[in-house]
Amino acid sequence: MRVGMGYDVHKLVEGRDLILGGVKIPHTLGLLGHSDADVLLHAIMDALLGAAALGDIGKHFPDTDPKYKGISSMKLLEHVGNLLTEHGYVVENIDATIIAQKPKLRPYIEEMEQNIAGVLGIAKDQVNVKATTEEGLGFTGNETGISSQAICSLNGFFESSMEVGGGSRCASCSGCQKR
């Protein structure tokens, strides 16, 4: 099993949509960023990439590349999911927290979880999203930004079938060529 953690923060500004977990949330402010600035998905992507030792979102989706200007972070998450598959990993679970004073996010969390699970091709019960405030403290408390933290676990496709330390033999196979 591999574990990864991610963290992201974006500034709240006027004139931008507030998008979290792929859900457009009614609010007077939105998050500033090169893409749609979905702070929740950015933290989740960094956790997934970290668990697979594949770098971070800045490596894969640099904010200097015009093709990512305004892009939906759901598309970026889909790309990360494809990278995990290409490298032989499956997502076991994701647990994430959004830190924001306003707006109240409880009504949108189930849709966020469904969006994340759907794009990654996993069950909704493998994704948990929470929201909290910082009781008026700090940049999230004074509503100048929103942050998010995420942790995830991954397993390799063949991880549970390989002998520990053997690396080249199947633990339960008696007749293949790897013996």
Side-chain angles (χ1 to χ4, degrees):
M1 177 184 358
R2 292 169 161 257
V3 175
M5 59 90 50
Y7 173 79
D8 197 37
V9 61
H10 284 274
K11 182 178 181 177
L12 281 164
V13 296
E14 293 181 359
R16 295 269 304 195
D17 290 332
L18 178 59
I19 300 172
L20 296 169
V23 179
K24 185 176 175 181
I25 298 168
H27 193 49
T28 58
L29 302 172
L31 293 169
L32 181 63
H34 186 67
S35 66
D36 64 6
D38 188 327
V39 70
L40 171 63
L41 295 186
H42 293 186
I44 289 171
M45 287 186 282
D46 268 347
L48 294 168
L49 290 166
L54 294 174
D56 61 18
I57 61 174
K59 174 183 174 181
H60 293 275
F61 316 111
D63 63 6
T64 55
D65 191 331
K67 73 180 173 186
Y68 301 119
K69 179 78 174 152
I71 194 169
S72 166
S73 293
M74 291 296 291
K75 290 185 184 287
L76 302 180
L77 181 60
E78 180 179 25
H79 181 78
V80 169
N82 291 335
L83 281 173
L84 295 175
T85 300
E86 289 171 20
H87 286 85
Y89 295 107
V90 292
V91 177
E92 290 297 322
N93 89 310
I94 297 169
D95 186 31
T97 304
I98 305 164
I99 301 105
Q101 195 66 35
K102 290 182 184 172
K104 294 295 182 190
L105 299 173
R106 168 65 20 225
Y108 308 100
I109 286 179
E110 188 170 332
E111 186 179 357
M112 292 177 198
E113 291 170 342
Q114 191 63 51
N115 287 346
I116 295 161
V119 79
L120 291 174
I122 60 177
K124 185 175 167 286
D125 68 359
Q126 291 175 273
V127 180
N128 188 60
V129 175
K130 305 175 297 287
T132 191
T133 69
E134 289 191 306
E135 304 297 330
L137 300 173
F139 69 89
T140 60
N142 69 25
E143 300 176 52
T144 58
I146 293 177
S147 67
S148 186
Q149 300 176 6
I151 189 165
C152 73
S153 63
L154 306 178
N155 271 322
F157 288 143
F158 306 107
E159 192 168 271
S160 59
S161 69
M162 301 302 279
E163 287 183 353
V164 176
S168 63
R169 288 184 21 188
C170 299
S172 62
C173 179
S174 61
C176 78
Q177 298 300 316
K178 290 185 179 178
R179 277 186 106 39

